């Protein structure tokens, strides 16, 4: 029987060996098939089947249906024990895929039945990161506290306060704030003061922007903050109903865009891989970083995303290498960490390219 590596083509090996930076990964969307099996077995009374937690190859869902999937996963992951298990597994899986630096994001939740609080939620993710480090998993992990836009301005402000506390007490592991959640719900103008507060206290901002077409005004507003990175930005450019003014703001402020090819195709905000907005921004020489978004839900990994981008847009291995190396500059890590990563890339380049 051939091992996985032997079955891989040479190209597959290149993408797996390529050192990678993952900057857009939602914890509960990143839970693998194997971990999901364990969770489903742990909670048989919920009657959850695997088809409810993942979108397989060739399948598509509406974005709305994707958000239903997260509701199911949240039922399965609702205690400190669950969070510790999924966070550790997700970190180990990213490391096994050749990710050397990971910024994980997650929305702190409170669950009365299990005694879970938002504070403990974050502490538990940080504990998972600490344990992986202690077990010498070869990956540097940082955390972004996520604000779910669906929950409105009061919760957003509470979450920012919590994130601010951890920014000071987590030894540099908590680095920023994410704004995510169903983009068709709520308006960013109501969250502006929470986001401004976050920025003022030193949290980096990674905001989902223009994931759906109706967010043009919201993006105009939020780009004035400005965010430190943009999630998706699918509908920013004029060819898809965005505007020159939006593109100008992004370019003048040089804001990197996190691009998630499979997620956007499976969630149907982008009609096909070759129509992905990666093409538009990459051609302009704009800062783009390939990411998975939800590797569990969309059944992908970062190696596959690099390979897809390369085959769809005809990137050479050298160009792919540049793409992964440039991502180091878009992390929220402090300068010494970036330098350490640069060094690692330089060493590996001789072996791999
Ligand atoms: C917007 C998304 C998302 O936070 O419980 N999330 N938000 N757009 C997307 N595109 C597909 N994918 C995931 O992980 C799940 C949560 O991440 C956000 C949603 O708020 C979702 O509930 P956590 O770890």
């Amino acid at each position: 029987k051939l091992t996985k590596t032997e079955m891989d083509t040479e190209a597959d090996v290149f993408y797996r060996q390529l050192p990678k930076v993952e900057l857009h990964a939602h914890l509960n969307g990143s839970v693998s098939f194997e971990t999901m099996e364990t969770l489903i077995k742990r909670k048989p009374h919920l009657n959850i089947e695997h088809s409810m937690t993942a979108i397989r190859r060739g399948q598509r869902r509406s974005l709305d249906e994707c958000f239903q999937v997260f509701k199911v996963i949240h039922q399965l992951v609702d205690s400190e024990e669950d969070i510790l298990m999924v966070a550790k597994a997700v970190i180990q899986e990213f490391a096994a895929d050749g990710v050397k630096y990971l910024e994980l994001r997650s929305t702190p939740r409170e669950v009365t039945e299990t005694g879970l609080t938002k504070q403990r939620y974050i502490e538990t993710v940080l504990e998972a990161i600490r344990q992986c480090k202690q077990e010498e998993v070869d990956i540097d992990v940082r955390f972004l506290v996520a604000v779910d836009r669906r929950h409105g301005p009061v919760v957003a402000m509470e979450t920012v306060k919590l994130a601010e506390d951890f920014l000071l007490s987590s030894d540099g592991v908590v680095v920023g704030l994410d704004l995510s959640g169903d983009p068709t719900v709520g308006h960013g103008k109501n969250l502006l003061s929470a986001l401004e507060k976050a920025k003022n206290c030193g949290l980096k901002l990674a905001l989902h922007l223009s994931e759906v077409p109706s967010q043009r005004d919201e993006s105009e507003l939020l780009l004035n903050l400005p965010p430190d990175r943009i999630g998706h930005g699918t509908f920013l450019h004029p060819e898809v109903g965005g505007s020159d003014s939006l593109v100008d703001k992004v370019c003048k402020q040089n804001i990197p865009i996190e691009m998630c090819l499979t997620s956007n195709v499976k969630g149907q905000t982008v009609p096909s891989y070759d129509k992905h907005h990666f093409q538009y921004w990459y051609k302009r020489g704009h800062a783009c970083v390939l990411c998975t978004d939800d590797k569990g839900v969309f059944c992908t990994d970062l190696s596959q995303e690099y390979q897809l981008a390369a085959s769809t847009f005809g990137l050479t291995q050298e160009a792919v290498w540049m793409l992964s190396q440039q991502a180091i500059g878009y992390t929220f890590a402090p300068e010494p960490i970036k330098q350490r990563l640069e060094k690692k890339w330089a060493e590996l380049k001789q072996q791999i390219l």
Side-chain angles (χ1 to χ4, degrees):
K1 187 167 172 273
L2 293 177
T3 65
K4 175 92 182 88
T5 319
E6 283 164 338
M7 286 192 303
D8 283 343
T9 65
E10 212 173 298
D12 289 335
V13 174
F14 168 75
Y15 292 100
R16 191 142 320 126
Q17 285 185 341
L18 177 75
K20 291 169 290 288
V21 167
E22 169 66 80
L23 300 181
H24 189 130
H26 300 273
L27 175 60
N28 285 294
S30 300
V31 180
S32 66
F33 186 93
E34 293 74 24
T35 310
M36 207 54 90
E37 294 276 90
T38 311
L39 290 165
I40 290 172
K41 278 196 198 122
R42 268 191 196 175
K43 296 186 172 74
H45 56 283
L46 292 175
N47 276 325
I48 292 171
E49 287 169 24
H50 207 100
S51 60
M52 297 156 79
T53 66
I55 306 168
R56 304 262 179 91
R57 185 194 288 259
Q59 291 183 337
R60 304 270 193 278
R61 304 269 175 97
S62 67
L63 199 58
D64 192 47
E65 286 167 324
C66 294
F67 285 100
Q68 299 302 320
V69 172
F70 296 120
K71 285 199 187 127
V72 175
I73 299 174
H74 284 161
Q75 285 183 282
L76 286 167
V77 183
D78 71 349
S79 66
E80 285 179 28
E81 188 191 0
D82 296 339
I83 292 162
L84 186 70
M85 178 179 78
V86 301
K88 282 192 77 178
V90 164
I91 293 167
Q92 282 156 353
E93 288 150 9
F94 274 115
D97 187 38
V99 174
K100 302 295 176 198
Y101 177 92
L102 163 67
E103 274 171 27
L104 202 55
R105 52 183 83 188
S106 194
T107 326
R109 265 180 299 136
E110 182 174 84
V111 183
T112 323
E113 301 80 54
T114 64
L116 182 65
T117 63
K118 293 185 180 182
Q119 169 98 17
R120 284 301 297 153
Y121 187 104
I122 299 176
E123 282 168 359
T124 308
V125 177
L126 298 181
E127 174 61 18
I129 295 172
R130 198 191 60 76
Q131 287 186 18
C132 287
K133 193 170 174 183
Q134 197 179 27
E135 290 162 23
E136 296 183 2
V137 183
D138 181 22
I139 187 168
D140 187 323
V141 187
R142 310 276 152 166
F143 187 60
L144 307 178
V145 178
V147 169
D148 185 338
R149 50 186 295 140
R150 196 162 53 96
H151 298 141
V154 176
V155 173
M157 193 57 94
E158 284 168 10
T159 309
V160 168
K161 289 194 180 126
L162 201 56
E164 195 179 345
D165 291 343
F166 282 101
L167 177 70
L168 301 170
S169 67
S170 67
D171 250 340
V173 177
V174 171
V175 286
L177 194 85
D178 147 275
L179 173 65
S180 55
D182 188 340
T184 62
V185 181
H187 196 290
K189 66 179 179 220
N190 304 319
L191 307 171
L192 205 56
S193 50
L195 297 173
E196 273 164 357
K197 181 176 161 53
K199 194 163 178 80
N200 289 337
C201 74
L203 288 158
K204 298 283 188 188
L205 297 183
L207 310 182
H208 284 60
L209 285 193
S210 288
E211 190 177 359
V212 294
S214 58
Q215 290 176 288
R216 204 163 87 176
D217 295 344
E218 179 185 289
S219 293
E220 280 286 355
L221 197 68
L222 297 184
L223 279 171
N224 294 335
L225 279 160
D228 299 280
R229 282 198 317 255
I230 293 169
H232 303 298
T234 315
F235 295 94
L236 287 170
H237 60 291
E239 289 163 29
V240 285
S243 70
D244 288 325
S245 144
L246 287 171
V247 173
D248 273 359
K249 277 187 184 166
V250 174
C251 291
K252 287 212 178 88
Q253 304 181 98
N254 213 355
I255 312 172
I257 308 179
E258 303 151 357
M259 309 263 182
C260 313
L261 275 69
T262 299
S263 162
N264 297 157
V265 170
K266 286 194 170 179
Q268 293 184 325
T269 52
V270 167
S272 57
Y273 285 98
D274 60 323
K275 302 248 163 52
H276 196 275
H277 53 291
F278 172 83
Q279 169 99 312
Y280 176 90
W281 293 96
Y282 184 74
K283 262 200 193 154
R284 296 178 70 104
H286 189 77
C288 299
V289 50
L290 295 173
C291 303
T292 54
D293 205 6
D294 299 287
K295 73 173 180 61
V297 171
F298 298 115
C299 302
T300 188
D301 58 32
L302 195 53
S303 300
Q304 200 177 316
E305 295 301 302
Y306 270 87
Q307 192 162 5
L308 273 165
S311 62
T312 308
F313 303 109
L315 310 180
T316 61
Q317 289 197 342
E318 183 67 43
V320 168
W321 184 278
M322 284 295 288
L323 209 49
S324 102
Q325 188 178 351
Q326 280 164 351
I328 298 170
Y330 315 145
T331 66
F332 295 156
E335 227 25 70
I337 303 288
K338 289 186 186 175
Q339 281 167 18
R340 204 190 298 163
L341 293 169
E342 288 288 356
K343 219 174 133 221
K344 191 172 258 182
W345 259 244
E347 283 162 13
L348 289 168
K349 191 169 186 178
Q350 291 163 355
Q351 297 169 30
I352 297 165
L353 255 197

